[in-house]
Amino acid sequence: MDKQYDPQLIEETMQSRWDADQTYRADESDEREKFYCLEMFPYPSGKLHMGHVRNYTIGDVISRYQRQLGKSVLHPMGWDAFGLPAENAAIQNKTAPASWTHSNIAHMREQLKRLGFSYDWNREFATCEPDYYRWEQWFFTQLYERGLVYNKEAEVNWDPIDQTVLANEQVIDGRGWRSGALVVKKKIPQWFIKITDYAEELLAGLDDLEGWPDAVKIMQRNWIGKSVGAEIEFTVAEADPLRVFTTRPDTLMGATYLAVAADHPLTKAAAEHDTAVQAFREECQQMSTQEADLETMEKKGVPLGFSAIHPVTGESVPIWSANFVLMSYGTGAVMAVPAHDQRDYEFASKYSIAIKAVVKPLDEDLDISQAAFTEYGVLIDSGEFDGLSSEEAKSAITAWLSERDLGAEKINYRLRDWGVSRQRYWGCPIPFVYDENDQPVPAQTFPVELPTDVVMDGVGSPIKSMASFIDTVHPVDGTPARRETDTFDTFFESSWYYARYCCPDLDTAMLDQRANHWLPVDQYVGGIEHAVMHLLYARFFHKLMRDVGLIESDEPFTNLLTQGMVTAETFYRDSDGTKREYFNATEVDIVVSERGVPESATLKSDGSVVEIGPIEKMSKSKNNGVDPQQMINKYGADTVRLFTMFAAPPDQSLEWNDDAIAGASRFLRRVWNVLDSNADVISKYGFSDFASVFGSESPTQAINSQTKAVRLNVHTLMSRVLRDYERQQFNTVVAAAMELTNLIEKTKWSSLGEHAELTLAEALSALVRFLLPVTPHVCEYVLSQLDQPRSAAAVGWLTVDESALIQDEITYVVQVNGKLRGQVSMSADAQKEQIEAAALADENVQRFTQDLSVVKVIVVPKKLVNIVVK
């Protein structure tokens, strides 16, 4: 072996060998147990950041570990290549997004290869390639034929400068996030997929996802939002009846007003002759419709001059328009019961609307002078329903309404159909044309290719004015037609890419039987911020592909690991408002929203709430990231990999630390020196089955106690590493490797007698195996330098010798009243009474027990003795 650790030479050598040998090429004909490992693929922004590096290192460690277990592993990589950043870059540079994207892909591919990730690069693709998106276009038309796709007008946030639709998150204080223009509400035709048809299956399937974090499943449950209640009809004079959904039909008798959305037909009708209502509608058009904002904003409304008839009492109920009701949710109308709903209570109090209590607590007086009573209880002032419990009344009132065709039991979902239309250019064209009657007709040949020879000027999508793209013919009768110019939401591409990796070379169909061989993905790795968008859409898409007959499984990902963020130093403000610098995310407990976004923090030291400013996720866009390439050039890829695995458990945030990565580099040099200085021992013994060697060679003298002690430590560490790899606690795997390195360095091997060399070889082989998945370059380079070179797969995995874990003697820690006072060594088969007697007889222990009464002696087997005295 080379005398000096040269990471650049070692890594270049191994990467060239892996490429030449096609080491990581997956093969469906391999009859071994399959394992499909996948990390969420990157957007080709131009450069990797440390968040990428950590994510992909986690996946690579898992993949390499599974290979060491003897499995056939698929570990692919590709590019989530459509999206807004490419458009913005193209606008800035007056160029086309395609060239910018492909240039970035080439650069980032080399960065990934430089990190030594074990990808099957033969399966690489980018979602902006026609060979990929042609199949999602075909699939979309299949869904249309099955009635799962529809086109309708929908209200959107329209930026008049950028000439595009904005998501709610892109509207800031009523203005477009990029142009700064006042956003207007506008109705335009949009394409939707009926994800609501799968709401119940998506919800029920979460119970079977045992390998998913509970936090992600909770977020998806909340996002789907199943509610069981009743839909109730209120008649309205000179207007259509209002149907409202409520989960609390037991409170129906306390409804004192109805509230409808600013865009509801009743509000529009009132606005025609009431300037106050029109002004209110205009104000609502500027407000955010994000749920978090709706919860916290001031509740406002106006009376519409309409009244409804209460379905039970026949009383008149005023109808208001309120800013907390959205036309896009439910029927755009809600039943307001201010005595038993806090939002309704605040609104009624503000506008002096009647508050009528109809439910009281079971065992105490009802008090609604300051707030609504929102718990279940017993009905009062509810006519024939008085005295029923809330649960009884829910059923009784719903049945009463149903008998009279005034309502019915209903299940409602918060989930809405997936709107997949985007008025952007850089995306997959939606495969439809419009005939001479403006009716949509699905394409029949694919791909409907996106023109890439364009120049972005920042005003809308260039294909919307491109006659060569728009003007086409009807796919059936050849009459003139115009092409759809909207493109798919980019979540569309990322909802099925994992399946296409199974057969990326297939040009006659979307998927083939290779998909059933590899799917579902055994291990998926990515951020929790994707819990209710990408991960939910991928589950939905998988079920769609199953129902179209493309695959057989029900879920896309068996196990999910949501890695923590790589954070930069940030700040917090103390109780006086003073900004404190050099604060880091490990000092606080983070509260995250349902979308996985950090919202607030409390100090771990005293529980006080602090302003976070904010917790900075390392990224290129924030300009706060460490450039991985600089770290690789300085320390080598193995050091960067080692640091990202050691600094924190995979599911927790990792704070970048320059000193720590330097320490990781020093440790790898120690490992190299240990292996290099014992190269002759490694070459002599290789990577034998040491358990069988020790058990079968019948050595001329018995294994001495020093050898037994070393082997006990080595195999105890092996047991830990086996458990921690399985638990994906890679930080403690590295810690074990550090302990083993210390053991090898500090052991006086000459004291082990004739078994010294064999025991050392066993420890060295364990060290290499510990680190093989984490630092593959240096470990596999060592294997390549043996007299008989070995591959990583050939050396196999760790095998614990259970006989080495048998202890002849056990050292017990002795405590007196919980404080350490001594230790005693006992035979492994010593009885409890013998252990107690030895502990009490210890000379140092007796100094703390003399003249005192021994109350009791507690023996924790194989660990400690605690003597309680008074």
Side-chain angles (χ1 to χ4, degrees):
M1 285 171 54
D2 304 307
K3 291 301 180 184
Q4 296 296 321
Y5 175 53
D6 185 344
Q8 309 300 335
L9 173 64
I10 290 170
E11 290 165 11
E12 288 174 11
T13 299
M14 295 315 304
Q15 289 165 19
S16 295
R17 184 167 300 165
W18 294 334
D19 283 346
D21 295 345
Q22 294 282 285
T23 302
Y24 306 118
R25 185 163 193 159
D27 183 1
E28 291 79 17
S29 66
D30 192 328
E31 295 183 354
R32 294 176 299 167
E33 179 184 353
K34 71 93 178 176
F35 191 91
Y36 183 179
C37 184
L38 181 65
E39 306 91 63
M40 293 180 186
F41 62 169
Y43 182 82
S45 58
K47 288 184 179 180
L48 295 180
H49 56 68
M50 288 308 302
H52 287 130
V53 173
R54 189 184 191 204
N55 187 33
Y56 303 139
T57 301
I58 290 169
D60 195 58
V61 170
I62 293 171
S63 296
R64 290 179 180 276
Y65 163 61
Q66 294 293 332
R67 284 192 183 91
Q68 293 309 117
L69 294 180
K71 296 179 184 177
S72 170
V73 175
L74 170 59
H75 188 208
M77 175 51 67
W79 310 95
D80 190 9
F82 278 135
L84 185 60
E87 287 197 23
N88 289 338
I91 290 168
Q92 292 172 2
N93 299 309
K94 299 293 183 184
T95 185
S99 58
W100 182 86
T101 299
H102 288 294
S103 174
N104 288 349
I105 287 173
H107 181 71
M108 292 177 71
R109 181 190 301 114
E110 291 309 307
Q111 287 187 300
L112 290 174
K113 287 187 173 183
R114 184 66 184 83
L115 281 155
F117 295 138
S118 57
Y119 295 132
D120 180 354
W121 286 105
N122 299 289
R123 296 174 186 256
E124 177 192 16
F125 58 74
T127 59
C128 63
E129 296 167 353
D131 284 345
Y132 177 80
Y133 66 71
R134 65 179 290 199
W135 294 113
E136 68 187 47
Q137 291 176 333
W138 169 83
F139 188 63
F140 191 69
T141 64
Q142 298 302 299
L143 299 180
Y144 180 78
E145 297 296 338
R146 286 167 168 76
L148 290 166
V149 165
Y150 63 93
N151 183 280
K152 74 167 186 177
E153 279 201 341
E155 189 171 71
V156 296
N157 302 310
W158 181 257
D159 186 317
I161 300 298
D162 278 354
Q163 294 285 295
T164 191
V165 171
L166 301 179
N168 289 333
E169 293 80 2
Q170 295 172 318
V171 180
I172 302 171
D173 296 329
R175 295 180 179 272
W177 69 281
R178 196 174 74 85
S179 70
L182 279 173
V183 170
V184 297
K185 299 290 185 180
K186 182 178 179 180
K187 280 197 170 183
I188 60 174
Q190 299 276 280
W191 288 96
F192 294 86
I193 306 180
K194 292 183 180 178
I195 191 173
T196 51
D197 281 11
Y198 285 75
E200 187 59 38
E201 186 181 356
L202 287 166
L203 188 63
L206 293 170
D207 293 334
D208 298 325
L209 296 178
E210 297 178 358
W212 282 40
D214 287 340
V216 174
K217 292 192 284 187
I218 289 170
M219 290 180 206
Q220 288 207 5
R221 283 194 182 94
N222 291 340
W223 194 260
I224 296 168
K226 181 178 181 179
S227 300
V228 179
E231 188 171 73
I232 303 171
E233 184 174 292
F234 288 75
T235 58
V236 181
E238 300 180 1
D240 292 333
L242 284 179
R243 300 187 72 85
V244 300
F245 174 81
T246 178
T247 59
R248 294 291 304 271
D250 56 313
T251 66
L252 172 60
M253 307 301 281
T256 58
Y257 68 99
L258 300 181
V260 298
D263 291 317
H264 193 279
L266 285 180
T267 308
K268 292 179 179 178
E272 291 179 1
H273 56 78
D274 189 327
T275 56
V277 176
Q278 180 58 31
F280 176 73
R281 290 194 71 234
E282 292 172 359
E283 180 182 352
C284 288
Q285 285 190 328
Q286 306 302 322
M287 75 177 192
S288 167
T289 56
Q290 294 187 67
E291 281 197 43
D293 295 332
L294 289 173
E295 286 290 329
T296 58
M297 72 183 182
E298 180 187 0
K299 307 303 184 287
K300 296 181 180 181
V302 290
L304 299 182
F306 291 103
S307 294
I309 304 301
H310 194 287
V312 179
T313 68
E315 296 175 352
S316 177
V317 180
I319 301 174
W320 287 64
S321 185
N323 64 351
F324 55 79
V325 185
L326 299 178
M327 197 63 208
S328 57
Y329 285 86
T331 62
V334 299
M335 175 184 85
V337 185
H340 304 294
D341 182 280
Q342 189 58 32
R343 180 197 63 192
D344 297 347
Y345 181 92
E346 293 170 4
F347 189 89
S349 298
K350 179 176 181 177
Y351 292 107
S352 300
I353 302 173
I355 299 176
K356 177 185 177 183
V358 294
V359 180
K360 74 176 186 66
L362 287 172
D363 302 318
E364 56 188 273
D365 292 335
L366 176 66
D367 180 10
I368 56 170
S369 60
Q370 301 298 320
F373 173 65
T374 59
E375 305 300 321
Y376 282 7
V378 177
L379 265 65
I380 58 174
D381 202 11
S382 297
E384 65 184 89
F385 306 108
D386 279 358
L388 296 179
S389 70
S390 287
E391 285 290 358
E392 292 170 335
K394 287 168 71 173
S395 298
I397 292 174
T398 302
W400 190 96
L401 293 167
S402 182
E403 290 169 2
R404 293 159 178 79
D405 292 328
L406 294 171
E409 184 177 344
K410 185 174 182 181
I411 295 175
N412 215 18
Y413 295 94
R414 176 181 177 273
L415 184 68
R416 294 293 173 262
D417 281 341
W418 180 11
V420 296
S421 297
R422 296 295 180 268
Q423 289 66 46
R424 291 287 178 184
Y425 156 72
W426 188 236
C428 171
I430 294 177
F432 272 79
V433 302
Y434 294 90
D435 64 18
E436 293 178 303
N437 297 316
D438 218 28
Q439 294 302 303
V441 181
Q444 294 189 0
T445 57
F446 310 96
V448 176
E449 199 160 342
L450 181 74
T452 56
D453 186 17
V454 300
V455 175
M456 303 295 295
D457 59 11
V459 181
S461 168
I463 61 174
K464 290 189 178 296
S465 57
M466 187 181 292
S468 60
F469 178 77
I470 297 171
D471 295 339
T472 186
V473 295
H474 193 290
V476 177
D477 61 25
T479 57
R482 62 177 177 86
R483 199 180 298 282
E484 171 66 80
T485 57
D486 282 0
T487 54
F488 281 135
D489 174 5
T490 55
F491 279 117
F492 206 90
E493 285 79 55
S494 61
S495 293
W496 72 284
Y497 77 106
Y498 62 89
R500 185 64 181 177
Y501 280 138
C502 300
C503 43
D505 57 342
L506 184 64
D507 62 2
T508 57
M510 187 173 180
L511 301 173
D512 62 18
Q513 279 303 310
R514 287 176 289 176
N516 287 325
H517 172 81
W518 290 112
L519 294 175
V521 174
D522 295 282
Q523 181 66 67
Y524 199 35
V525 182
I528 197 171
E529 64 270 20
H530 299 292
V532 293
M533 299 297 279
H534 163 59
L535 287 169
L536 183 62
Y537 291 150
R539 293 184 61 223
F540 171 48
F541 226 90
H542 197 86
K543 297 175 192 306
L544 291 173
M545 291 190 292
R546 177 202 62 194
D547 291 348
V548 171
L550 295 171
I551 53 177
E552 297 170 356
S553 49
D554 294 327
E555 293 284 348
F557 315 119
T558 302
N559 296 288
L560 172 67
L561 190 159
T562 52
Q563 89 284 357
M565 297 185 296
V566 178
T567 60
E569 289 181 337
T570 179
F571 70 84
Y572 74 100
R573 296 187 189 277
D574 63 19
S575 57
D576 298 325
T578 305
K579 183 177 177 180
R580 303 296 185 189
E581 300 290 350
Y582 307 113
F583 183 64
N584 67 72
T586 61
E587 294 172 347
V588 295
D589 286 318
I590 307 300
V591 178
V592 298
S593 69
E594 288 184 357
R595 298 285 299 278
V597 178
E599 289 185 332
S600 62
T602 55
L603 281 178
K604 288 182 177 178
S605 57
D606 61 11
S608 59
V609 177
V610 296
E611 175 193 349
I612 55 178
I615 296 204
E616 293 282 328
K617 182 176 179 179
M618 275 194 176
S619 68
K620 182 185 174 190
S621 64
K622 290 183 179 293
N623 199 30
N624 67 350
V626 174
D627 184 353
Q629 195 62 50
Q630 293 180 4
M631 296 297 104
I632 295 168
N633 293 341
K634 184 175 182 180
Y635 296 110
D638 275 347
T639 292
V640 174
R641 292 169 60 111
L642 184 79
F643 167 76
T644 58
M645 293 300 93
F646 179 57
D651 59 346
Q652 295 182 19
S653 292
L654 179 158
E655 186 186 0
W656 183 263
N657 185 305
D658 289 344
D659 292 336
I661 193 169
S665 177
R666 289 192 296 271
F667 169 66
L668 273 188
R669 291 184 184 280
R670 285 174 56 205
V671 170
W672 175 263
N673 291 336
V674 162
L675 297 174
D676 178 66
S677 61
N678 294 290
D680 55 336
V681 175
I682 297 173
S683 288
K684 179 178 179 180
Y685 290 94
F687 289 78
S688 308
D689 179 359
F690 290 94
S692 62
V693 172
F694 272 98
S696 64
E697 282 200 340
S698 301
T700 56
Q701 68 180 51
I703 298 174
N704 63 26
S705 59
Q706 292 95 325
T707 300
K708 288 183 178 179
V710 170
R711 294 197 76 224
L712 172 64
N713 284 331
V714 170
H715 285 272
T716 298
L717 289 171
M718 277 191 198
S719 298
R720 275 176 45 192
V721 167
L722 285 170
R723 181 186 69 243
D724 291 342
Y725 265 116
E726 197 61 28
R727 293 166 55 232
Q728 299 177 342
Q729 296 298 299
F730 306 127
N731 58 314
T732 52
V733 167
V734 176
M738 292 176 173
E739 289 183 51
L740 183 54
T741 303
N742 290 338
L743 175 69
I744 294 170
E745 290 175 331
K746 293 178 180 179
T747 297
K748 294 182 179 179
W749 293 99
S750 59
S751 68
L752 273 60
E754 73 174 57
H755 302 106
E757 199 172 70
L758 186 61
T759 307
L760 174 59
E762 183 179 43
L764 292 167
S765 74
L767 178 61
V768 171
R769 287 183 172 111
F770 283 12
L771 290 173
L772 250 174
V774 180
T775 57
H777 301 92
V778 64
C779 293
E780 295 203 35
Y781 187 81
V782 169
L783 296 178
S784 73
Q785 299 301 300
L786 299 175
D787 290 341
Q788 294 182 333
R790 306 284 296 279
S791 67
V795 302
W797 192 229
L798 298 163
T799 302
V800 175
D801 184 353
E802 297 296 334
S803 67
L805 298 175
I806 299 173
Q807 297 175 256
D808 294 332
E809 280 193 349
I810 297 172
T811 299
Y812 284 84
V813 170
V814 183
Q815 299 175 336
V816 177
N817 288 346
K819 295 185 177 180
L820 177 63
R821 299 306 186 192
Q823 53 184 350
V824 294
S825 294
M826 301 298 298
S827 169
D829 57 2
Q831 299 299 305
K832 181 174 181 288
E833 294 77 12
Q834 295 173 302
I835 299 168
E836 289 180 6
L840 289 167
D842 182 82
E843 181 179 348
N844 193 57
V845 169
Q846 288 185 348
R847 292 174 49 211
F848 296 94
T849 59
Q850 63 185 6
D851 302 326
L852 296 171
S853 299
V854 177
V855 177
K856 60 180 175 179
V857 179
I858 302 167
V859 176
V860 179
K862 299 184 179 181
K863 289 186 178 180
L864 64 85
V865 180
N866 187 26
I867 302 169
V868 181
V869 298
K870 67 176 182 178

